[in-house]
Amino acid sequence: MEKSTALGTNRTGIDMSPVDVKKMLALTNVTPPSSNGDERAIAEMRSRHIADASVIGSVPPPGSLKGVASTAMQKLTGKNPEAFIDKLGCRLAFERAGVRLYDALIVKASSIPGAPSEIPLDTLRKFRNEELRHFRLLEGAIRSIGADPTTQTPSADVDGMASLGLMQVLTDPRTSLSHCLEAILIAELADNDAWQLLIQLAAKMGMDDMARDFETALQEEDVHLAHIRQWFKESVLDDAAVAA
Ligand SMILES: [Fe+2]
Ligand SMILES: [Fe+2]
């Protein structure tokens, strides 16, 4: 695998200019903070905003109940279908993002000269297509309970925000394949955990068929996670020139 780390003139550390250390520390004595206070002020301000804030989003009620199998709605009666729809929508958004992450990883792996043969592009394409299949599986699941799969649910919104950095790592031309594998590993770890939770949730909502379908997706996610974890480990050990 290509080297991820290289020696160079990184100037961010203090040791790059020992003669200036004294001067820099002296400066801190003559330039006190421009305002009084400590971290308590920002904590108080955040707290005030939290108290004033409304929710980050909402889940629309299932739009058309007429075409929905009444058995599905019966199973959800007395429970909170909106909490379930929120998490289904979240998984759907994450799987769609997963397709895009793998698209970017495939470009990275195929653009690096002498890309490692231990990461076959065919396997990456297979994982990418499985993410897309999971997206479609969720789309069908959401429709089956009369909800709208095009809705950005609150959890989908939050998840999207939390994973913004992953896409930035994957699409930065300067990142190595190893950096990208680490970003995908973060996504796969979160994905794997979220599928397990969704299966539990579906079963508790009485959606046994759905839970069974989701189990198949989780089995594929297990394979993704195992491969990405192994490739990332090998890339790090390789980079350090130590044997796996
Ligand atoms: Fe996934
Ligand atoms: Fe995956």
Side-chain angles (χ1 to χ4, degrees), residues 91 94-99 102 127 130-132 134-135 138 187-188 190-192 195 217 220-221 224:
R91 216 60 268 110
F94 202 94
E95 295 304 301
R96 181 179 50 219
V99 175
Y102 272 103
F127 291 174
E130 284 169 352
E131 303 291 357
L132 181 60
H134 300 167
F135 165 81
L138 288 152
E188 289 289 10
D191 203 16
N192 203 279
W195 273 109
E220 289 172 346
E221 295 293 0
H224 299 183

Side-chain angles (χ1 to χ4, degrees), residues 125-201:
R125 286 192 199 103
K126 180 173 178 285
F127 291 174
R128 182 253 184 223
N129 292 338
E130 284 169 352
E131 303 291 357
L132 181 60
R133 214 165 50 234
H134 300 167
F135 165 81
R136 295 208 170 110
L137 173 67
L138 288 152
E139 183 188 5
I142 293 170
R143 281 195 203 286
S144 76
I145 54 172
D148 177 1
T150 66
T151 302
Q152 171 91 324
T153 67
S155 287
D157 196 7
V158 170
D159 244 38
M161 180 57 73
S163 31
L164 269 182
L166 302 180
M167 199 47 160
Q168 287 175 357
V169 171
L170 263 296
T171 55
D172 188 321
R174 302 163 301 171
T175 52
S176 69
L177 192 54
S178 181
H179 296 141
C180 295
L181 287 170
E182 184 169 16
I184 293 260
L185 178 59
I186 292 169
E188 289 289 10
L189 284 165
D191 203 16
N192 203 279
D193 235 50
W195 273 109
Q196 292 182 39
L197 182 58
L198 191 64
I199 289 166
Q200 272 185 37
L201 187 58

Side-chain angles (χ1 to χ4, degrees), residues 210-237:
M210 209 185 270
R212 245 190 320 275
D213 289 344
F214 292 171
E215 281 286 357
T216 315
L218 177 60
Q219 283 165 15
E220 289 172 346
E221 295 293 0
D222 282 340
V223 177
H224 299 183
L225 180 55
H227 277 78
I228 297 289
R229 185 184 267 144
Q230 179 65 19
W231 291 333
F232 176 58
K233 186 178 91 177
E234 283 169 6
S235 76
V236 171
L237 296 178

